[in-house]
Amino acid sequence: MTKAVKRAYGEKDSLFGSQTSTKIAVTATTIEDSYTVIFTNYNGPDRVRYCYIRPENIDDEMLVWEIFFKSYKGYHDGGLGGHNCPVNLALWEQDRIWSRKLKQPDCIVSVGTGSPFIQEATNTTSSSWFAQLFLPRMFRSYMTFFDCQKTWIQVLNSTTLNNQAQFHRLNLHFNSTGPHLDNVKSMPALKEQVLRDSASNKTDLIRCADNILASLFYLELEDLPVFQQGRFSCKGNILCRLDAGSRALHSLVVRLNDRQARFYLDEQSYVASMNPDAFDRIQAGRAYSIPVEFQVFSINEQLDFKVDRLTQRARSISNFPYNITDLVIDQGLHLVFGRPDHKRQARPLENKSKRRRYNQSA
């Protein structure tokens, strides 16, 4: 198993500073006092309720392959610290990294390893005398500590019904306890069950895929809004998280073009998600960028950009609904002396003549 992991991830590649724009956090627990810690490929501020680990010497950085299947320098399985399903840690981390002020993420996907169907509460007076003894009760309580499905339900119950549409749990459910982790003979049966469950849960899977697709797009303003004739005029670009020149971006662009997908500001105003010039630029290895202009009466007005025809129904792009004030602050456009990361506040257009205004649908 170790050899396979080394072949897949390399023997000398460290977790921190890995060549990916994706933020990665791996949960662990201290062997000495079972305190929850995380190893990450990024830096961040101090945490509460758990600890962020970075070695003092760069030569002691955790290697990617060392994450799997073994204790590591005084740390072991993160599930032993109460985060067998680390969705709460992921939600806490997004607030630490991006200061989102508890705003829900675009999409949460939790992948389970299988669990028994949850039994409804029954009358405990009929329990056997053995089940009511101290040690059996303690053992059952201990095992619920690792119940990922229970954690997931608690997370769902802590959010609103509207936000729950963005939470997705992919998991198998067994009529009894599932097979042991080392039971390789059970793999064919598990594969068949995955196919059956996928067919029966097709609607949920499509909704999950649609949310992921919509979250790939985001709006970035080019400069501060300009107040003109009683309205604020805004110029920006709809960008995509997929890397320029990647096969994934090429496939997405073909799909946008074939389906004539659109971005809607409201039910009447839209802009095409693809045009011949943009298509040619992306096929030549450039990043996805669709320039847009729009107007709002107030910078505190709630906006909701949506993508349609790419998904089964129109869905909000990343971080929307949004208001212009928050967007300006999140981009740092209000910082007159520049941003802390020294990035430019506004970037020039590749071709100002290609700027598109929102059309009014017929």
Side-chain angles (χ1 to χ4, degrees):
M1 187 69 76
T2 300
K3 292 181 180 179
V5 173
K6 287 183 177 180
R7 282 198 303 269
Y9 296 99
E11 294 189 31
K12 298 182 179 180
D13 294 338
S14 62
L15 174 63
F16 182 81
S18 55
Q19 296 180 352
T20 175
S21 58
T22 303
K23 299 287 191 289
I24 300 172
V26 179
T27 61
T29 307
T30 58
I31 292 177
E32 184 176 348
D33 55 8
S34 296
Y35 191 79
T36 297
V37 302
I38 57 172
F39 294 90
T40 70
N41 68 339
Y42 56 88
N43 280 319
D46 292 336
R47 274 76 169 173
V48 180
R49 292 176 286 186
Y50 59 104
C51 184
Y52 164 79
I53 300 296
R54 280 292 309 283
E56 295 183 0
N57 190 335
I58 192 172
D59 295 329
D60 295 330
E61 292 283 1
M62 171 185 274
L63 302 179
V64 176
W65 69 267
E66 291 180 309
I67 297 171
F68 300 89
F69 310 118
K70 59 178 290 185
S71 298
Y72 173 80
K73 298 180 180 179
Y75 305 97
H76 57 182
D77 188 358
L80 298 175
H83 294 284
N84 208 28
C85 177
V87 61
N88 279 316
L89 277 173
L91 292 172
W92 297 339
E93 275 297 281
Q94 68 146 1
D95 283 324
R96 300 295 183 277
I97 300 170
W98 294 290
S99 300
R100 289 175 55 84
K101 301 175 183 177
L102 301 180
K103 185 174 182 179
Q104 293 294 338
D106 301 317
C107 183
I108 297 178
V109 181
S110 174
V111 181
T113 57
S115 60
F117 282 106
I118 297 178
Q119 301 286 339
E120 292 186 2
T122 57
N123 189 350
T124 58
T125 58
S126 59
S127 301
S128 66
W129 66 269
F130 180 78
Q132 298 182 42
L133 294 177
F134 175 76
L135 289 179
R137 286 190 288 113
M138 288 298 297
F139 177 76
R140 291 194 299 272
S141 297
Y142 174 74
M143 293 306 296
T144 60
F145 191 67
F146 304 101
D147 190 341
C148 295
Q149 199 65 20
K150 178 182 177 182
T151 302
W152 180 253
I153 291 174
Q154 290 173 345
V155 171
L156 286 182
N157 288 337
S158 67
T159 188
T160 64
L161 289 176
N162 288 337
N163 286 333
Q164 287 182 15
Q166 298 162 290
F167 287 62
H168 308 279
R169 172 79 171 165
L170 308 181
N171 196 25
L172 293 178
H173 295 285
F174 306 114
N175 291 324
S176 59
T177 57
H180 294 291
L181 289 177
D182 58 353
N183 184 2
V184 294
K185 294 182 179 180
S186 65
M187 293 303 296
L190 290 175
K191 289 181 179 179
E192 291 182 6
Q193 184 174 351
V194 169
L195 294 176
R196 290 196 304 270
D197 287 3
S198 299
S200 61
N201 297 323
K202 186 176 180 179
T203 301
D204 292 336
L205 291 174
I206 291 176
R207 180 165 55 87
C208 177
D210 284 353
N211 281 340
I212 293 174
L213 282 173
S215 70
L216 293 176
F217 303 98
Y218 61 98
L219 175 67
E220 185 176 277
L221 295 178
E222 290 191 349
D223 211 334
L224 291 170
V226 178
F227 189 71
Q228 296 176 333
Q229 299 179 349
R231 295 185 179 186
F232 288 92
S233 297
C234 305
K235 295 181 180 181
N237 296 273
I238 295 179
L239 307 178
C240 180
R241 302 186 190 281
L242 298 179
D243 293 333
S246 64
R247 293 177 58 185
L249 180 58
H250 288 173
S251 299
L252 177 63
V253 166
V254 170
R255 189 171 178 179
L256 291 171
N257 193 59
D258 291 345
R259 298 192 177 189
Q260 298 182 339
R262 298 173 172 180
F263 295 107
Y264 281 86
L265 178 58
D266 52 46
E267 293 182 357
Q268 286 77 37
S269 303
Y270 70 88
V271 64
S273 67
M274 188 50 55
N275 57 67
D277 291 334
F279 188 87
D280 292 341
R281 290 199 306 271
I282 294 168
Q283 293 300 320
R286 304 290 292 276
Y288 181 90
S289 179
I290 299 295
V292 294
E293 291 183 7
F294 58 96
Q295 293 182 328
V296 293
F297 286 105
S298 169
I299 58 175
N300 293 317
E301 180 180 337
Q302 196 83 343
L303 302 177
D304 194 4
F305 275 84
K306 293 185 176 183
V307 60
D308 196 17
R309 299 185 180 180
L310 174 66
T311 53
Q312 283 204 336
R313 64 173 180 83
R315 293 189 180 275
S316 300
I317 65 173
S318 182
N319 220 26
F320 277 83
Y322 224 147
N323 65 56
I324 298 302
T325 298
D326 289 341
L327 186 55
V328 166
I329 293 174
D330 289 347
Q331 286 188 221
L333 298 178
H334 65 302
L335 301 173
V336 295
F337 295 108
R339 293 164 45 137
D341 55 11
H342 306 295
K343 291 183 179 179
R344 288 185 299 177
Q345 293 179 333
R347 55 189 184 85
L349 294 176
E350 294 177 2
N351 187 344
K352 290 189 177 182
S353 65
K354 299 299 182 181
R355 179 159 299 286
R356 297 173 62 87
R357 289 183 176 273
Y358 270 79
N359 301 315
Q360 296 296 317
S361 60

